[in-house]
Amino acid sequence: MERRYMPVVIFLAAITVGIIIMVVISVVQNKPLYQKYKYGIVLDAGSSHTSVFIYEWPAEKENNTGMVQQKHTCNVKGKGISSYSANPQGAGASLQECMNEAKQKIPAHRHPETPVYLGATAGMRLLRMENEEASKKVLDSVALSLKSYPFSYQGARIISGQEEGAFGWITVNYLSENLRKPTGTLGALDLGGASTQITFVPQQKIESSDNSIDFRLYGNNYHLYTHSFLCYGKDQALKLSMGKKLESTLKTDPIELRDPCFHPGYKVPRTVPDVFNTPCTKELKLANENFLHVGLGNWSQCQQSIRKVFNTSICSYSKCSFNGVFQPSVYGDFGAFSAFFFVMDFLNLTSDSLATTKEKLAAYCSTPWEKIVGNHPKIDQKYLSEYCFSATYILTLLEDGYKFTSNNWKDIRFIKKIGDSDAGWTLGYMLNLTNMIPAEAPDMPLMPYGGYVTFMFFFALLILVLLLLVYLYFRRSTRTAQKDII
Ligand SMILES: Nc1ncnc2c1ncn2[C@@H]1O[C@H](COP(=O)(O)OP(=O)(O)O)[C@@H](O)[C@H]1O
Ligand SMILES: [Ca+2]
């Protein structure tokens, strides 16, 4: 071969290698060139109501953190499934409207592969304690209803308090993309109507095995503390607290229950079984079944009365939250969701110091009931009348129960959603059951997307320049050759 062709050969070889590198990188980087979505449905059968969550994720990226998003939610009309104990068929029927909506929201060709899970929480735990047969019938009824849809039915069951706490923790940390980073995780505080959960990575040893859960997620080990207090959701706590007041006052004054946790001017007739119709309160045999629930609007007395539902005098561990339950010192930031958020957000108490929160709440509780109703004509009066109690309960639970202080109060973030997805146990439950959180970290793309685009751009530019140089070189060498001939 003539020597003058050598540079051309080198140029061509460089170009070929360049093209091969570009093709290889683009294949590795863009394995799926277009996105297909997959779906999953979880029904949260809570004590007060049932919500249907539809999740969506890109089919090819299901093992990456933060990829699953909430696409749609539907609130089932009426009360929670545990309220159908006398009419179990009604429980299954109540889900129809939302399940039909799910059929509309998910593309039909995905229906057969879309898993459906129903998890029932504390309302059904209480019904199971009270009447196991009735709780089975309710679960059978919702199972039958869910099986009639074209989705892939995966079961309807009562989840444990530990699962409820741990999956809530997985949800908030998955959505905050904390799981693949060496940085800290977010503790999870969930307040329902019938139970409440606290879950976090503690700094101290976990002294009771009931409160310890281990996970290996994306190559990291997590040693979690979790506890679920049955009967300490805000609706059952209200019954506990009213029950205590009734026990001490009805004996002397059988007509009126004077309650500092309700607004002055609030007066509602109630019956004793209204308060004692749950396994959380012991049955009180009282001749007079009717009483008048009268509000006093006194925040500090309200807090005193709520403290009585927390037993802090027994503890067989190095430290306890309440009722003899082991709890290490709270550590790190916490996401407080569900009723923690609904109540504190309604009262605009999500971002003040603990002292200011107490001052504002005291003023709110002493506001006359008439004025409260006038200020919020559209809010359901049952919710409205209970916000003073609920917020006082929340402060007492967090401070006296879990031992948050004015120093770490700001570590509690009252949240509803992270991105588009609600904080709660449902997403974590589905991720776990579909094995979407691998124990080991999945392969990362070769380089971040921005770096990839820049790299491809400059590489293409380089190849263009090389082609130009080859062209110029050829032109010059042919001219020289022609000159030589002449
Ligand atoms: N807008 C709202 N304001 C106040 N409380 C609310 C609101 N929406 C829901 N809640 C309350 O949140 C709680 C949700 O609990 P739920 O999930 O049904 O029970 P559990 O988790 O104990 O089974 C209930 O006490 C319900 O009354
Ligand atoms: Ca709940």
Side-chain angles (χ1 to χ4, degrees):
M1 191 166 59
E2 287 185 47
R3 271 195 58 199
R4 65 196 175 102
Y5 286 128
M6 272 307 280
V8 179
V9 172
I10 292 169
F11 276 141
L12 285 177
I15 289 166
T16 314
V17 170
I19 288 172
I20 290 171
I21 292 176
M22 276 176 76
V23 169
V24 168
I25 289 185
S26 69
V27 166
V28 174
Q29 182 85 23
N30 289 331
K31 261 183 266 167
L33 286 175
Y34 59 97
Q35 295 294 359
K36 290 182 200 152
Y37 284 90
K38 285 189 173 181
Y39 302 86
I41 303 173
V42 186
L43 289 93
D44 173 355
S47 62
S48 66
H49 80 295
T50 302
S51 296
V52 179
F53 293 90
I54 301 180
Y55 296 105
E56 172 189 77
W57 61 94
E60 307 287 343
K61 292 193 175 168
E62 60 187 13
N63 289 342
N64 286 11
T65 179
M67 280 298 156
V68 180
Q69 301 261 323
Q70 187 173 309
K71 180 185 162 69
H72 183 71
T73 61
C74 178
N75 287 321
V76 169
K77 288 204 187 105
K79 292 187 178 179
I81 59 168
S82 54
S83 70
Y84 290 90
S85 60
N87 160 33
Q89 282 86 353
S94 73
L95 309 179
Q96 282 167 6
E97 230 178 282
C98 280
M99 290 307 291
N100 286 332
E101 210 174 288
K103 275 200 324 201
Q104 303 297 316
K105 295 281 171 190
I106 299 173
H109 72 282
R110 292 284 182 196
H111 288 177
E113 64 177 41
T114 299
V116 182
Y117 304 90
L118 180 143
T121 50
M124 286 297 284
R125 281 179 217 135
L126 291 175
L127 179 60
R128 185 172 55 189
M129 284 166 66
E130 240 184 337
N131 183 345
E132 195 169 351
E133 192 63 21
S135 77
K136 277 193 183 135
K137 284 190 176 148
V138 169
L139 282 180
D140 288 346
S141 157
V142 292
L144 198 67
S145 170
L146 294 178
K147 283 177 194 163
S148 71
Y149 290 87
F151 307 114
S152 162
Y153 172 74
Q154 299 289 317
R157 54 182 285 266
I158 301 173
I159 66 167
S160 69
Q162 283 99 322
E163 289 177 290
E164 197 177 357
F167 293 134
W169 182 91
I170 289 192
T171 300
V172 293
N173 286 289
Y174 174 88
L175 291 172
S176 326
E177 303 202 21
N178 288 336
L179 295 180
R180 291 180 69 173
K181 297 181 205 142
T183 52
T185 54
L186 198 58
L189 298 167
D190 182 353
L191 179 63
S195 75
T196 187
Q197 288 72 239
I198 175 167
T199 311
F200 61 101
V201 174
Q203 277 207 310
Q204 290 144 274
K205 188 177 169 295
I206 300 177
E207 294 170 24
S208 70
S209 58
D210 289 354
N211 297 117
S212 152
I213 290 200
D214 292 301
F215 285 115
R216 183 168 174 84
L217 312 169
Y218 300 113
N220 298 313
N221 291 318
Y222 297 98
H223 188 50
L224 297 186
Y225 167 83
T226 187
H227 191 80
S228 174
F229 289 92
L230 189 59
C231 298
Y232 286 81
K234 73 177 176 62
D235 305 332
Q236 292 299 325
L238 175 59
K239 293 189 181 221
L240 286 180
S241 160
M242 278 178 71
K244 288 235 183 276
K245 285 173 207 153
L246 275 175
E247 276 175 341
S248 57
T249 62
L250 274 187
K251 284 164 199 155
T252 51
D253 182 1
I255 316 289
E256 272 191 4
L257 174 67
R258 294 158 63 78
D259 194 334
C261 301
F262 284 71
H263 297 277
Y266 177 86
K267 256 192 191 89
V268 171
R270 295 188 194 279
T271 67
V272 174
D274 270 353
V275 181
F276 290 97
N277 62 354
T278 128
C280 295
T281 50
K282 280 190 266 85
E283 193 79 46
L284 233 200
K285 293 274 174 277
L286 286 165
N288 188 348
E289 297 241 310
N290 300 307
F291 67 93
L292 200 59
H293 192 197
V294 177
L296 299 178
N298 184 318
W299 180 77
S300 61
Q301 281 179 19
C302 173
Q303 188 165 44
Q304 285 305 323
S305 72
I306 289 175
R307 284 197 176 119
K308 295 192 179 131
V309 307
F310 300 108
N311 182 347
T312 46
S313 62
I314 42 158
C315 183
S316 56
Y317 302 98
S318 64
K319 47 175 66 169
C320 286
S321 46
F322 55 95
N323 297 1
V325 172
F326 167 72
Q327 188 203 292
S329 305
V330 288
Y331 177 74
D333 289 344
F334 283 78
F337 45 88
S338 207
F340 280 119
F341 176 84
F342 297 136
V343 172
M344 300 305 265
D345 178 63
F346 175 83
L347 297 172
N348 255 323
L349 297 176
T350 54
S351 46
D352 293 307
S353 68
L354 182 56
T356 313
T357 305
K358 286 178 182 174
E359 274 167 32
K360 287 188 176 173
L361 184 56
Y364 176 79
C365 288
S366 63
T367 310
W369 175 231
E370 213 172 290
K371 197 168 169 206
I372 298 280
V373 176
N375 290 347
H376 305 279
K378 289 196 182 130
I379 308 271
D380 179 345
Q381 291 206 0
K382 184 186 141 41
Y383 277 151
L384 198 57
S385 66
E386 291 177 7
Y387 280 121
C388 164
F389 168 83
S390 302
T392 312
Y393 175 66
I394 287 174
L395 292 193
T396 316
L397 173 67
L398 294 174
E399 201 181 6
D400 297 42
Y402 297 156
K403 322 288 186 238
F404 281 95
T405 63
S406 48
N407 294 329
N408 58 17
W409 186 253
K410 60 178 186 324
D411 298 343
I412 306 173
R413 295 182 222 156
F414 294 94
I415 51 170
K416 177 173 168 53
K417 286 175 180 262
I418 299 175
D420 291 334
S421 308
D422 279 82
W425 58 267
T426 50
L427 175 56
Y429 188 65
M430 183 188 77
L431 293 173
N432 183 59
L433 290 176
T434 51
N435 292 318
M436 263 196 279
I437 305 190
E440 303 306 326
D443 294 338
M444 295 281 278
L446 203 55
M447 55 182 87
Y449 189 69
Y452 161 72
V453 170
T454 319
F455 176 85
M456 290 310 249
F457 176 76
F458 282 108
F459 220 85
L461 204 66
L462 185 72
I463 287 174
L464 265 179
V465 171
L466 283 176
L467 280 172
L468 199 68
L469 285 175
V470 170
Y471 169 73
L472 291 176
Y473 180 82
F474 250 113
R475 232 176 54 164
R476 219 189 58 189
S477 53
T478 11
R479 278 202 192 140
T480 335
Q482 277 169 352
K483 265 189 204 154
D484 285 352
I485 295 167
I486 294 164

